[in-house]
């Protein structure tokens, strides 16, 4: 009997890091820079640094667990290993999949509206067409789909570097001075704004966790996946901090907060060029986010199936494309159904809290794994136990903070 087809291990550190960046440097930065500036004022760059520190705790926990258990449906596997509960593991995996599906459906609804406006295509037809196209790309092969995502990610990063480059000129190199001046005499209430800005900015860092679900398609996954997570966090932090510095130099926090396209405003101010390219790339980043989420969710379904937590059909791998075709198709069907029948706004807000719960559970799983399984004999990546402990505390703090705000305060 021939062995069952396996997923194609073709992803390198470079491609995997770009995949991670594609999930973090998405449409969020195009909008969140205004919201964070509105909260933190001229201290907005510090909000991004604080957000990176908060996200970094969970990122490091994911990195160690991915080194220990480099499998699809990573979060569910980590919970199983930590708590030895199939039910809790399945619930975690389904929560991850639900968050990804709702996020994708929300993205596609927004993207279809833009497409319908410029191409006179009925919105529902656009939603179905976009989903089918993305599913076809993902079915084509992991290297094809991740390469497409990587190209779009490079375009996004290129735009941010252009903004930073223009803003580094003497005329606009005042961001650091404004930040330094603001930190000399900080009113007590200003730190509250920085903290709130950091919580908003935290959502711009979410996405690194998607990397763990393509571990079975990564070469030397136990070493490469943790490195990709850390690199994603480092590059994202640099870009966000630098863009925030340029933004507060080129305009005022109040102007940024009131703008519906704050990054476009910054680009126009620092370059003197029309900003329509920024809007176009923002739309492209939305498309990229949907593509990456479909890859992630289908791998979660695949991983849960291979562990016998979901029906076996979801674990089917096409021998030619080496992709989990059944899982991809089921994912696409659910997304189409949601886009055509459900009001996604409240679901999207609930997904933000669902993501926080998943992060807390994964951090707790790492603590349990360290207690029950000890240190890896030849650990590719390991962190002190204090890291997941602080990860849980930071997530609890964010959750408590957000409970005091209306859904509109969430990105």
């Amino acid at each position: 009997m021939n062995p069952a087809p396996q997923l194609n291990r073709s992803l390198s550190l470079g491609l995997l890091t770009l995949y991670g960046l594609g999930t973090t440097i998405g449409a969020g930065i195009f909008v969140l820079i205004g919201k964070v500036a509105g909260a933190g004022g001229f201290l907005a760059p510090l909000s991004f640094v604080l957000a990176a520190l908060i996200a970094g705790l969970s990122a490091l926990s994911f990195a160690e667990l991915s080194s220990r258990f480099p499998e699809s449906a990573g979060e569910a596997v980590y919970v199983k290993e930590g708590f030895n509960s199939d039910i809790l593991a399945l619930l975690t995996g389904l929560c991850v999949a639900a968050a990804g599906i709702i996020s994708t459906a929300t993205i596609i609804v927004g993207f279809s509206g833009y497409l319908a406006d410029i191409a006179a295509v009925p919105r529902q037809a656009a939603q179905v067409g976009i989903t089918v196209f993305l599913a076809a790309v993902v079915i084509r092969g992991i290297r094809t789909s991740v390469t497409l995502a990587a190209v779009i990610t490079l375009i996004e990063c290129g735009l941010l570097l252009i903004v930073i480059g223009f803003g580094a000129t003497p005329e606009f190199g005042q961001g650091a001075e404004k930040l330094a001046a603001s930190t000399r005499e900080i009113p007590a209430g200003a730190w509250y704004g920085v903290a709130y800005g950091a919580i908003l900015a935290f959502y711009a860092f979410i996405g690194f966790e998607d990397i763990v679900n393509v571990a079975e398609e990564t070469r030397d996954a136990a070493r490469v996946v943790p490195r990709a997570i850390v690199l994603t966090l480092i590059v994202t932090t640099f870009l966000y901090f630098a863009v925030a510095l340029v933004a507060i130099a080129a305009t005022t926090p109040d102007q940024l907060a009131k703008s519906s396209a704050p990054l476009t405003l910054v680009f126009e101010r620092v370059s003197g060029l029309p900003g329509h390219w920024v809007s176009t790339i923002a739309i492209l980043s939305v498309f990229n986010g949907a593509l990456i989420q479909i890859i992630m969710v289908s791998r979660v379904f695949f991983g849960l199936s291979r562990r016998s937590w979901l029906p076996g059909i979801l674990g089917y791998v096409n021998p030619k494309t080496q992709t989990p075709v059944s899982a991809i198709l089921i994912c696409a069907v659910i997304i189409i159904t949601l886009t055509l029948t459900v009001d996604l706004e409240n679901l999207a807000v609930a997904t933000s809290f669902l993501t926080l719960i998943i992060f807390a559970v994964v951090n707790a799983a790492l603590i349990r794994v360290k207690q029950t399984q000890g240190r890896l004999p030849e650990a590719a990546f390991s962190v002190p136990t204090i890291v997941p402990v602080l990860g849980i505390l930071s997530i609890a703090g964010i959750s408590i903070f957000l409970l005091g705000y209306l859904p509109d305060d969430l990105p």
Side-chain angles (χ1 to χ4, degrees):
M1 179 182 295
N2 294 327
Q6 301 296 310
L7 298 178
N8 182 16
R9 288 192 180 275
S10 61
L11 299 182
S12 62
L13 176 60
L15 272 179
L16 194 60
T17 302
L18 287 171
Y19 175 86
L21 288 172
T23 64
T24 53
I25 303 177
I29 187 60
F30 292 87
V31 176
L32 276 176
I33 186 66
K35 291 189 175 183
V36 175
F42 286 112
L43 297 174
L46 295 185
S47 291
F48 281 101
V49 173
L50 181 57
L53 293 174
I54 296 171
L57 294 168
S58 293
L60 292 174
S61 293
F62 272 88
E64 174 166 344
L65 287 165
S66 69
S67 180
R68 287 175 175 265
F69 316 109
E71 299 182 36
S72 299
E75 294 92 339
V77 173
Y78 308 155
V79 170
K80 167 63 177 176
E81 294 292 338
F83 299 104
N84 194 30
S85 169
D86 288 346
I87 293 177
L88 185 57
L90 174 59
L91 288 175
T92 301
L94 291 177
C95 284
V96 172
I101 286 173
I102 294 167
S103 173
T104 306
T106 304
I107 288 171
I108 288 174
V109 167
F111 188 83
S112 66
Y114 174 82
L115 184 63
D117 288 341
I118 64 174
V121 178
R123 289 182 66 111
Q124 292 187 333
Q127 290 162 14
V128 174
I130 293 166
T131 307
V132 170
F133 173 76
L134 290 173
V137 171
V138 177
I139 287 173
R140 179 69 179 79
I142 186 63
R143 193 169 182 85
T144 299
S145 51
V146 171
T147 298
L148 175 59
V151 170
I152 298 174
T153 300
L154 286 172
I155 294 172
E156 296 172 50
C157 291
L159 171 65
L160 297 182
L161 289 173
I162 289 171
V163 171
I164 294 167
F166 276 118
T169 61
E171 182 181 1
F172 292 103
Q174 305 166 21
E177 294 179 12
K178 289 184 178 180
L179 176 60
S182 298
T183 56
R184 292 189 191 108
E185 297 180 4
I186 304 177
W191 285 116
Y192 185 85
V194 171
Y196 183 48
I199 290 172
L200 294 177
F202 172 80
Y203 288 92
F205 288 89
I206 287 178
F208 61 81
E209 72 280 5
D210 290 355
I211 296 174
V212 304
N213 288 300
V214 292
E216 291 187 40
E217 291 156 292
T218 302
R219 298 194 293 264
D220 193 12
R223 295 183 181 278
V224 171
V225 173
R227 292 174 184 174
I229 291 173
V230 173
L231 281 173
T232 294
L233 186 68
I234 291 172
V235 174
T236 302
T237 303
F238 165 75
L239 290 173
Y240 286 175
F241 178 77
V243 168
L245 275 180
V246 171
I248 63 172
T251 182
T252 67
D254 187 58
Q255 289 173 325
L256 289 168
K258 291 179 179 178
S259 174
S260 60
L263 195 61
T264 300
L265 173 64
V266 173
F267 177 81
E268 291 174 342
R269 289 285 181 88
V270 299
S271 69
L273 301 173
H276 61 274
W277 286 109
V278 177
S279 300
T280 301
I281 293 174
I283 295 298
L284 200 59
S285 72
V286 170
F287 176 90
N288 200 32
L291 172 64
I292 291 173
Q293 289 296 307
I294 290 176
I295 296 172
M296 182 275 290
V297 173
S298 63
R299 271 50 178 187
V300 171
F301 284 158
F302 167 81
L304 293 175
S305 174
R306 293 290 284 262
R307 286 249 177 173
S308 300
W309 293 330
L310 285 181
I313 186 64
L314 293 173
Y316 168 74
V317 176
N318 184 287
K320 183 176 180 180
T321 64
Q322 292 184 275
T323 54
V325 175
S326 299
I328 296 168
L329 292 176
I330 290 294
C331 177
V333 169
I334 297 173
I335 290 169
I336 290 172
T337 302
L338 284 178
T339 60
L340 298 180
T341 61
V342 177
D343 178 6
L344 295 171
E345 182 177 355
N346 291 331
L347 287 178
V349 172
T351 299
S352 296
F353 285 98
L354 194 60
T355 301
L356 293 175
I357 292 171
I358 293 167
F359 276 26
V361 171
V362 168
N363 277 294
L366 177 57
I367 295 171
R368 288 288 299 149
V369 165
K370 283 179 170 291
Q371 290 174 340
T372 58
Q373 300 184 20
R375 183 179 174 86
L376 285 172
E378 295 182 3
F381 191 91
S382 183
V383 296
T385 304
I386 190 63
V387 170
V389 171
L390 292 176
I392 293 174
L393 293 176
S394 66
I395 295 302
I398 291 174
S399 301
I400 293 170
F401 199 107
L402 287 179
L403 286 174
Y405 288 85
L406 295 173
D408 286 345
D409 287 315
L410 291 172

